[in-house]
Amino acid sequence: MKIQHIFFDLDNTLWDHRKNAYLTIKDLFEKQEITLHYHIDFESFHTVYHDINESLWEKIRDGLIDKEYLRKHRFYDTFKHFGVDDEELSQYFEEHFLDKILNHNELVEGAEYILEYLKSKHYTLHVISNGFQEVTERKCILSGIDKYFKTITSADSIGVRKPNPKIFEYSLGLAEATKEESILIGDDWIADVVGSQNYGLDVIFFDVYKENKQEEGLKAITHLLQIKEYL
């Protein structure tokens, strides 16, 4: 059956979360004069934060922790790494991070072009995100890409995250789409590729960080414009 529905992951597939987070944390870091008060270099701080945050998101994905745990620990654990045990400072960063990140709405290179292209080809477009419900739709709206999507599913909509098959089932049901006429495009090997494959959904792996994971028959791209090779 011909593909009619395209489901996109959001963060780091269309919305450049890595860049937007970097800019937001840098703003907060400078506003609080962290280097002056604690003698911490921003690039070192961001590197540690990134590693801790990625690890915590993997644990959320695997059902080992909830989002409240992540929100309490990602900045606290980062500061503690540098010998700063300050819950109030960590919570300041957390609360303002979620609010201020939406001031930065950089898209992944080629995102708007490829969405326009796919829309012109009469595909119906959707989002399946593991992000928090309260920010997923705002990211789409504030970056100007909400107009391309018929449905937007966040993990909080159903209470499970990719690769759990229930979120794919829920999103396809919302979209009134079948597996046979659908495909997912995403950058996370476990959540997007393994999750889609286990559910029986075709997938294009956006190898944005050039992990060079190889699998026979797998559709893979390193730039969004390469989607045109498959659709």
Side-chain angles (χ1 to χ4, degrees), residues 2 7 26 33 41 48 57-58 60-61 101 103-104 136-139 152 155 170 183 186-188 195 204 214 218 228:
K2 184 182 176 184
F7 293 82
K26 195 169 192 291
E33 299 182 317
D41 170 69
V48 172
W57 270 108
E58 288 174 5
I60 279 189
R61 181 196 68 202
I101 194 171
N103 292 337
H104 300 283
T136 297
E137 289 193 9
R138 288 178 69 197
K139 285 177 179 178
I152 298 174
Y170 174 87
I183 193 167
D187 70 293
D188 189 290
I204 296 174
Q214 300 296 324
L218 176 68
K228 294 168 74 173

Side-chain angles (χ1 to χ4, degrees), residues 17-203:
H17 184 274
R18 185 170 286 193
K19 181 186 288 186
N20 294 324
Y22 176 92
L23 294 171
T24 304
I25 296 168
K26 195 169 192 291
D27 288 345
L28 295 172
F29 197 89
E30 291 174 352
K31 185 175 182 181
Q32 291 299 303
E33 299 182 317
I34 300 300
T35 301
L36 177 65
H37 295 304
Y38 302 104
H39 309 291
I40 303 171
D41 170 69
F42 173 71
E43 294 299 334
S44 300
F45 180 88
H46 180 262
T47 298
V48 172
Y49 165 82
H50 175 75
D51 291 344
I52 287 172
N53 189 54
E54 289 288 299
S55 175
L56 289 171
W57 270 108
E58 288 174 5
K59 289 176 181 175
I60 279 189
R61 181 196 68 202
D62 297 339
L64 301 175
I65 61 172
D66 58 19
K67 67 180 182 181
E68 283 72 26
Y69 185 94
L70 176 140
R71 286 178 166 179
K72 182 178 179 180
H73 282 273
R74 58 181 169 184
F75 286 106
Y76 178 75
D77 291 358
T78 302
F79 275 111
K80 199 167 182 183
H81 173 88
F82 292 97
V84 180
D85 189 346
D86 188 332
E87 288 190 24
E88 188 177 341
L89 178 62
S90 303
Q91 272 310 112
Y92 171 88
F93 266 72
E94 180 60 36
E95 290 168 10
H96 286 79
F97 174 75
L98 288 175
D99 183 43
K100 302 296 185 185
I101 194 171
L102 296 172
N103 292 337
H104 300 283
N105 281 287
E106 297 284 337
L107 295 173
V108 174
E109 186 178 6
E112 193 145 20
Y113 174 90
I114 202 65
L115 291 172
E116 194 66 47
Y117 168 82
L118 294 171
K119 201 76 172 176
S120 74
K121 294 288 187 179
H122 305 294
Y123 290 106
T124 304
L125 310 181
H126 312 270
V127 165
I128 307 180
S129 171
N130 269 359
F132 302 143
Q133 184 175 358
E134 60 266 34
V135 295
T136 297
E137 289 193 9
R138 288 178 69 197
K139 285 177 179 178
C140 292
I141 292 167
L142 293 173
S143 64
I145 60 175
D146 61 303
K147 62 190 176 185
Y148 294 106
F149 304 116
K150 179 183 177 184
T151 67
I152 298 174
T153 299
S154 70
D156 291 352
S157 306
I158 185 173
V160 297
R161 287 175 160 74
K162 298 175 290 184
N164 191 309
K166 289 181 181 178
I167 192 170
F168 297 102
E169 184 177 17
Y170 174 87
S171 192
L172 265 68
L174 192 65
E176 300 180 316
T178 65
K179 295 179 190 180
E180 292 76 19
E181 62 185 8
S182 304
I183 193 167
L184 182 134
I185 301 168
D187 70 293
D188 189 290
W189 182 261
I190 300 296
D192 297 317
V193 178
V194 174
S196 294
Q197 290 174 336
N198 288 346
Y199 180 64
L201 181 67
D202 199 5
V203 62

